[in-house]
């Protein structure tokens, strides 16, 4: 049986769904527009890879600290300020048409939007206590924004150009702020109510505690599979867009395909609890992560057949939708409630590190060998890595005896 949510927590759930919807939608909007804008201003393939990767650089350094701040100061306080920044930064892009200017904006906006998304992830982890059914519903609701956002952005870019496109992305950030404001007032500040400048500074002991979570076998698994799982998303936000654009597919269609993937992520998320109740969750995660990688790397082979491209995109989204709530569930159940923000930050660090490696690596591979070949190399590397993890689990059994991802969380000592 899944856990019951109290009426008070139900209000937090609705606000959290909205927060996840708009913050995650803004990330995917930027994933569509930045490759197109980079081509528009004349960047080459390796420069596009670097620009796309830049938005993940600061999250690698500061995601853990952002999660710690959410645990220390409360999600709404952090979410409000990062939401304001997420609303402001897109407005600067139309005036920055050179490589280094785009890199700087990507550095800043990547950190801000990552922290906004982490706000929703932290609250839903606290409320769900590892219940994959609740996490699946969160995934489904947030993916509605991930569908409509990229589709709207592709349509506006194709018909009106870059300035209106970035204004719409800014308005999406405003809706993130509005969502934060609807979180209950009792969650808005740390205990005692007052926040000082010293509360915002990193503390070595808290970093050490957060990093020590990586010694837990379940967390090791989550971090590795997070890195592998993010590969299709990193490709989708970079050379998937570039390759389709080079093959004459319009921004509207590219936005539709990206949005379609997100819709099926939501549908897959709703089935995560069903899969978790019928198999060993670690094998399910590995299977669906590897499937998603394979499906996006088939793009050069099927790009000329729109029906196959649509089917592969939908299946990839479904696979991503199944594995995400299960990864969140493993993470949530492995640690104490008061460390959920730090754990989300640790996961996001690995997530964004993968966002750096994949676009940069693909960019240079595309320059050296060709863009089609870069898809093949990425498939071999990352699917091979999934197989290595599977072999290690089967051979050493280091996850044997771990709890399933259904039902209420077993309390852990602080």
């Amino acid at each position: 049986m899944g856990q019951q949510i109290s009426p008070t927590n139900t209000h937090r759930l609705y606000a959290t769904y909205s927060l996840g919807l708009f913050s995650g939608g803004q990330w995917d909007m930027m994933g569509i527009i930045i490759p197109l804008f980079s081509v528009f201003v004349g960047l080459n393939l390796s420069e596009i890879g670097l620009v796309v990767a830049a938005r993940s650089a600061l999250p690698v350094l500061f995601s853990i600290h952002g999660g710690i701040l959410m645990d220390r100061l409360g999600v709404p306080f952090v979410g409000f300020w990062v939401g304001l920044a997420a609303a402001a930064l897109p407005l600067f892009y139309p005036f920055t048409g050179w490589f280094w200017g785009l890199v700087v904006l990507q550095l800043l906006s990547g950190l801000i939007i990552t922290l906004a998304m982490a706000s929703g992830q932290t609250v839903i982890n606290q409320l769900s206590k590892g219940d994959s059914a609740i996490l699946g519903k969160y995934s489904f609701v947030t993916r509605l924004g991930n569908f409509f956002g990229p589709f709207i952005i592709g349509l506006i870019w194709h018909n009106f150009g870059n300035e209106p496109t970035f204004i719409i992305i800014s308005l999406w950030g405003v809706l993130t702020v509005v969502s934060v404001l609807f979180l209950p007032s009792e969650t808005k500040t740390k205990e005692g109510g007052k926040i000082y400048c010293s509360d915002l500074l990193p503390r070595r002991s808290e970093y050490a505690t957060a990093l020590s979570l990586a010694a837990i076998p379940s967390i090791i698994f989550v971090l590795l599979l997070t890195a592998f799982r993010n590969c299709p998303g990193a490709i989708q936000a970079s050379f998937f867009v570039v390759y389709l654009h080079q093959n004459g597919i319009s921004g509207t269609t590219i936005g539709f395909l990206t949005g379609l993937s997100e819709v099926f992520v939501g549908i897959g998320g709703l089935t995560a609890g069903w899969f978790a109740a019928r198999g060993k969750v670690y094998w399910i995660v590995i299977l669906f992560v590897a499937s998603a990688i394979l499906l996006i790397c088939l793009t050069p082979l099927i790009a000329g057949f729109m029906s196959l491209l649509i089917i592969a995109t939908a299946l990839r989204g479904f696979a991503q939708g199944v594995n995400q709530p299960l990864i969140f569930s493993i993470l949530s159940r492995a640690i104490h409630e008061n460390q959920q923000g730090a754990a989300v930050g640790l996961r996001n660090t690995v997530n964004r590190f993968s966002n750096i490696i994949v676009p940069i690596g693909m960019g240079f591979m595309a320059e050296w060998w060709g863009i089609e070949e870069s898809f093949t190399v990425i498939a071999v590397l990352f699917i091979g890595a999934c197989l290595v993890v599977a072999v290690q689990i089967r051979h050493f059994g280091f996850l044997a005896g771990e709890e399933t991802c259904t039902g209420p969380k077993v309390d852990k000592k602080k």
Side-chain angles (χ1 to χ4, degrees):
M1 295 291 291
Q3 87 171 75
Q4 299 297 314
I5 298 293
S6 69
T8 300
N9 280 345
T10 299
H11 291 76
R12 294 185 69 192
L13 270 178
Y14 292 146
T16 305
Y17 289 159
S18 179
L19 177 57
L21 186 152
F22 292 116
S23 61
Q26 192 178 34
W27 178 268
D28 280 355
M29 285 176 159
M30 296 295 284
I32 288 292
I33 192 60
I34 295 306
L36 293 174
F37 187 65
S38 298
V39 172
F40 174 76
V41 299
L43 300 187
N44 61 41
L45 291 176
S46 58
E47 287 175 332
I48 293 173
L50 289 167
V51 166
V52 171
R55 70 172 177 165
S56 298
L58 291 184
V60 169
L61 299 175
F62 296 109
S63 284
I64 292 176
H65 181 56
I68 290 170
L69 287 179
M70 292 174 201
D71 289 335
R72 188 192 304 166
L73 306 178
V75 170
F77 176 82
V78 177
F80 175 79
W81 290 105
V82 298
L84 285 181
L89 283 170
L91 300 176
F92 291 92
Y93 276 87
F95 308 103
T96 312
W98 62 95
F99 173 72
W100 286 110
L102 286 175
V103 167
V104 171
L105 279 177
Q106 286 285 89
L107 288 170
L108 296 174
S109 66
L111 176 62
I112 292 302
I113 299 174
T114 294
L115 293 180
M117 291 191 295
S119 300
Q121 292 166 10
T122 300
V123 176
I124 199 64
N125 280 0
Q126 292 170 344
L127 293 175
S128 70
K129 299 188 183 299
D131 191 316
S132 57
I134 295 173
L135 290 164
K137 291 176 183 178
Y138 172 80
S139 178
F140 175 78
V141 172
T142 59
R143 296 305 165 174
L144 294 177
N146 296 134
F147 169 72
F148 288 108
F151 178 72
I152 291 169
I153 287 304
L155 184 65
I156 293 175
W157 167 266
H158 182 71
N159 291 284
F160 302 104
N162 60 72
E163 289 89 353
T165 301
F166 285 108
I167 290 173
I168 294 298
I169 295 174
S170 174
L171 293 177
W172 217 259
V174 172
L175 293 174
T176 297
V177 177
V178 173
S179 301
V180 172
L181 293 176
F182 277 91
L183 288 174
S185 59
E186 66 267 17
T187 68
K188 287 194 174 180
T189 59
K190 68 170 186 174
E191 185 177 354
K194 295 182 179 180
I195 297 173
Y196 302 98
C197 290
S198 59
D199 292 321
L200 305 178
L201 299 177
R203 297 173 185 172
R204 181 180 300 179
S205 61
E206 290 178 330
Y207 261 85
T209 300
L211 292 173
S212 69
L213 296 175
I216 302 171
S218 294
I219 303 302
I220 296 173
F221 177 85
V222 165
L223 297 180
L224 287 173
L225 269 295
T226 290
F228 306 156
R229 180 193 181 277
N230 197 56
C231 173
I235 295 173
Q236 178 178 277
S238 55
F239 291 99
F240 178 78
V241 175
V242 172
Y243 186 80
L244 295 183
H245 180 72
Q246 288 182 347
N247 282 268
I249 297 177
S250 69
T252 302
T253 303
I254 294 171
F256 166 75
L257 288 170
T258 302
L260 178 69
S261 171
E262 299 301 336
V263 166
F264 276 87
V265 170
I267 295 172
L270 289 177
T271 69
W274 185 89
F275 281 104
R278 288 162 176 79
K280 294 184 178 179
V281 67
Y282 300 98
W283 299 115
I284 295 171
V285 170
I286 292 172
L287 174 63
F288 280 103
V289 167
S291 299
I293 296 169
L294 175 63
L295 287 164
I296 196 166
C297 288
L298 290 175
T299 297
L301 298 177
I302 62 176
F305 307 93
M306 184 55 64
S307 59
L308 292 179
L309 193 59
I310 290 173
I311 292 170
T313 299
L315 291 176
R316 169 168 54 87
F318 183 83
Q320 294 285 70
V322 173
N323 65 52
Q324 185 183 54
L326 298 183
I327 289 175
F328 284 172
S329 184
I330 296 168
L331 181 69
S332 174
R333 298 172 69 86
I335 57 174
H336 190 273
E337 181 178 347
N338 292 337
Q339 293 180 305
Q340 293 294 333
V344 169
L346 185 62
R347 177 187 172 276
N348 282 340
T349 297
V350 173
N351 198 340
R352 299 310 173 219
F353 183 73
S354 177
N355 268 342
I356 295 173
I357 296 300
V358 173
I360 291 178
M362 283 195 73
F364 284 104
M365 290 175 197
E367 289 278 350
W368 296 333
W369 303 318
I371 192 168
E372 292 90 353
E373 288 76 8
S374 68
F375 280 88
T376 301
V377 175
I378 289 293
V380 171
L381 291 176
F382 279 86
I383 294 176
C386 288
L387 291 175
V388 170
V389 172
V391 168
Q392 294 299 308
I393 292 175
R394 185 169 183 83
H395 182 69
F396 294 106
F398 71 94
L399 294 174
E402 293 283 353
E403 57 197 290
T404 61
C405 292
T406 56
K409 176 183 176 183
V410 177
D411 290 337
K412 304 273 192 296
K413 291 185 178 180
K414 190 171 182 178

